Amino acid sequence: MTDHVRGEVLDQLEALAAQAAVACGRFIVDDRPPSVEVAGTKSSPTDVVTEMDRAGETLIHSLIRAARPHDGILGEEGSDVVGDSGITWVVDPIDGTVNYLYDIPAYAVSVAAVVGSPTTPGSWRPLAGAVYNPVLDELYLASRGRGATLESGGARRRLEIQDVPASQALIATGFNYDASTRQWQGGLLAEILPHVRDVRRLGSAALDLCHVASGRVNASYESRLNSWDIAAGWLVVEEAGGVVRGLDGAAPSPDLVMAGPERLVDDLARIVMPATRQAPTP
């Protein structure tokens, strides 16, 4: 699916992903209004969107369209573009909107170039991506076959996942905004806790994946994620030497996303997958 993409194209895609992610990140921090208001809701009354989400996505669109006018764009806020180049940009202007709403410094911009249909699980793969935490000024970057890096404080380091036994693993997860799904996810969490060091719930799936790659957590799992939540972080994990899997070892999908070193993901899957097959219908 990615063999035809030349190295110089990957360079261009990664650079554009970084440019768009950083520009949006600086915008949502520097132009943040004194009081952030909820502009609307999505999947439930607690799943909010702000005007800064929408303005940030517009900014990303303008940068991508100026540089690559034939590419498609799929964004969380719905202002999508159909392209004819075979490459689609999957973007989330604020991953962790509720954190942003409450001014909790745990949110990020996620921008990724993918091939295939990002709305059809198993039929797409990320080529290049960036996740930018504007509060910490941390930029996670990856392109297919070229490794993953973290830029912070003027330094750039290569990311490499380290394996640990499940009993010593710090696991990241998140919860959906649908009440019945949350109830089920809480039960699954109770099953996992006795088998691991501890669990963290940050509120941004993109950052969870990048933290797996950088070693801040050892693995992550979550259900009901969309392509814009995972596209860039998925690539960062894989290029750091980890695996990202879905239900029964398939590609990641809204049913399940698990990420980490292969052995730890296998151990986690023995607990997560049986419960996931019994999850409520969204």
Side-chain angles (χ1 to χ4, degrees), residues 191-279:
E191 292 184 41
I192 290 172
L193 275 170
H195 302 281
V196 300
R197 183 191 297 273
D198 207 346
V199 173
R200 294 290 181 268
R201 189 268 197 268
L202 184 66
S204 166
L207 286 179
D208 283 345
L209 290 167
C210 290
H211 290 171
V212 170
S214 65
R216 287 179 176 160
V217 296
N218 302 114
S220 69
Y221 77 93
E222 191 169 348
S223 298
R224 308 295 184 256
L225 294 175
N226 296 294
S227 55
W228 47 79
D229 299 311
I230 68 169
W234 172 5
L235 185 60
V236 171
V237 170
E238 287 193 334
E239 289 300 317
V243 298
V244 182
R245 293 178 180 164
L247 192 60
D248 297 319
S253 75
D255 290 330
L256 180 64
V257 178
M258 295 183 298
E262 186 169 19
R263 184 181 66 166
L264 181 54
V265 168
D266 287 342
D267 290 342
L268 194 60
R270 294 186 184 98
I271 305 170
V272 172
M273 284 201 294
T276 302
R277 296 188 191 101
Q278 301 173 16

Side-chain angles (χ1 to χ4, degrees), residues 11-271:
D11 290 340
Q12 295 166 9
L13 297 176
E14 183 179 304
L16 181 55
Q19 178 193 6
V22 171
C24 182
R26 294 271 44 95
F27 165 71
I28 62 176
V29 169
D30 296 342
D31 287 34
R32 177 189 173 93
S35 178
V36 178
E37 301 291 338
V38 174
T41 59
K42 292 175 283 189
S43 62
S44 79
T46 56
D47 187 8
V48 300
V49 60
T50 72
E51 289 296 344
M52 296 298 283
D53 288 91
R54 294 170 176 169
E57 186 160 299
T58 298
L59 172 60
I60 294 172
H61 272 239
S62 67
L63 292 171
I64 292 172
R65 295 293 287 169
R68 295 185 59 87
H70 296 286
D71 293 353
I73 306 176
L74 174 68
E76 181 177 15
E77 307 314 326
S79 51
D80 302 336
V81 174
V82 177
D84 57 16
S85 69
I87 291 174
T88 300
W89 292 84
V90 181
V91 305
D92 191 341
I94 308 179
D95 186 68
T97 296
V98 172
N99 287 344
Y100 183 75
L101 178 67
Y102 283 83
D103 202 17
I104 298 171
Y107 50 87
V109 184
S110 176
V111 180
V114 313
V115 288
S117 171
T119 59
T120 306
S123 70
W124 64 282
R125 296 278 285 178
L127 291 176
V131 175
Y132 181 55
N133 180 333
V135 179
L136 297 180
D137 191 26
E138 292 184 340
L139 178 63
Y140 294 87
L141 283 170
S143 57
R144 180 65 57 187
R146 296 179 164 207
T149 59
L150 169 59
E151 293 185 5
S152 178
R156 183 168 181 167
R157 71 178 176 94
R158 190 176 182 90
L159 300 178
E160 186 174 350
I161 280 183
Q162 301 297 316
D163 196 9
V164 298
S167 61
Q168 299 174 28
L170 185 63
I171 307 297
T173 192
F175 303 122
N176 190 256
Y177 290 103
D178 173 73
S180 62
T181 301
R182 278 187 177 188
Q183 185 176 26
W184 164 74
Q185 288 172 325
L188 175 57
L189 179 61
E191 292 184 41
I192 290 172
L193 275 170
H195 302 281
V196 300
R197 183 191 297 273
D198 207 346
V199 173
R200 294 290 181 268
R201 189 268 197 268
L202 184 66
S204 166
L207 286 179
D208 283 345
L209 290 167
C210 290
H211 290 171
V212 170
S214 65
R216 287 179 176 160
V217 296
N218 302 114
S220 69
Y221 77 93
E222 191 169 348
S223 298
R224 308 295 184 256
L225 294 175
N226 296 294
S227 55
W228 47 79
D229 299 311
I230 68 169
W234 172 5
L235 185 60
V236 171
V237 170
E238 287 193 334
E239 289 300 317
V243 298
V244 182
R245 293 178 180 164
L247 192 60
D248 297 319
S253 75
D255 290 330
L256 180 64
V257 178
M258 295 183 298
E262 186 169 19
R263 184 181 66 166
L264 181 54
V265 168
D266 287 342
D267 290 342
L268 194 60
R270 294 186 184 98
I271 305 170

